[in-house]
Amino acid sequence: MLTRIDHIGIACSDLDRTIDFYRTTYGFEVFHIEVNEEQGVREAMLKINDTSDGGASYLQLLEPIREDSPVGKWMAKNGEGVHHIAFGTADVDADAAEIREKGVRVLYDEPRTGSMGSRITFLHPKDCHGVLTELVTSAAEH
């Protein structure tokens, strides 16, 4: 099942400026930057720490590259801020199926590609007490 908090996703309007804030204020350094065309974001992963299961915990900074992307639409309503929380799992497929059986809506029928080659899916925030929740299997695990 779920093994760690993989990351907290933070929507921002200026990725470079937001990276600078986290670097200057907290000393967090960029671990990875990429553009995810499918999700419509430019993103940075700032590594917080390693975890006992061999994974890590990150802050994921998300700058929409299109207004019609999920993060772009979310920001139009909410502005910058915490967008989602992601839990790490060794098997996103099995855990998503188990959670779906408990009545929680899983937003993707099949997991998609996420940051750093991970496999991801999301759980509907209305079924998770208002929190958009992501399940992540890192590339090293699949």
Side-chain angles (χ1 to χ4, degrees):
M1 193 68 174
L2 309 179
T3 59
R4 68 183 178 282
I5 294 175
D6 185 85
H7 67 271
I8 297 171
I10 300 172
C12 62
S13 57
D14 184 328
L15 185 65
D16 297 322
R17 190 178 82 229
T18 307
I19 288 169
D20 187 54
F21 169 80
Y22 281 99
R23 179 181 291 132
T24 302
T25 306
Y26 304 115
F28 298 153
E29 293 297 329
V30 173
F31 182 78
H32 180 82
I33 293 180
E34 72 179 82
V35 173
N36 185 322
E37 293 288 344
E38 182 180 3
Q39 296 293 322
V41 294
R42 182 172 162 242
E43 63 180 83
M45 297 295 274
L46 285 62
K47 189 174 185 179
I48 307 305
N49 68 314
D50 293 311
T51 61
S52 62
D53 66 356
S57 293
Y58 302 91
L59 284 181
Q60 179 187 45
L61 306 178
L62 301 158
E63 176 188 33
I65 58 174
R66 302 187 310 268
E67 289 181 14
D68 68 339
S69 71
V71 174
K73 291 176 186 176
W74 185 88
M75 282 186 63
K77 288 187 213 173
N78 302 290
E80 294 184 306
V82 175
H83 179 260
H84 68 274
I85 186 167
F87 295 107
T89 172
D91 189 341
V92 69
D93 296 276
D95 285 341
E98 183 177 332
I99 291 169
R100 181 182 278 123
E101 288 175 9
K102 295 176 181 178
V104 175
R105 287 173 281 179
V106 178
L107 299 183
Y108 303 149
D109 290 331
E110 295 292 325
R112 297 183 181 178
T113 302
S115 299
M116 302 182 291
S118 62
R119 297 187 73 238
I120 65 167
T121 196
F122 286 90
L123 309 178
H124 200 291
K126 289 185 179 177
D127 297 342
C128 300
H129 299 273
V131 178
L132 179 60
T133 304
E134 182 179 5
L135 305 179
V136 179
T137 298
S138 68
E141 292 177 307
H142 67 83

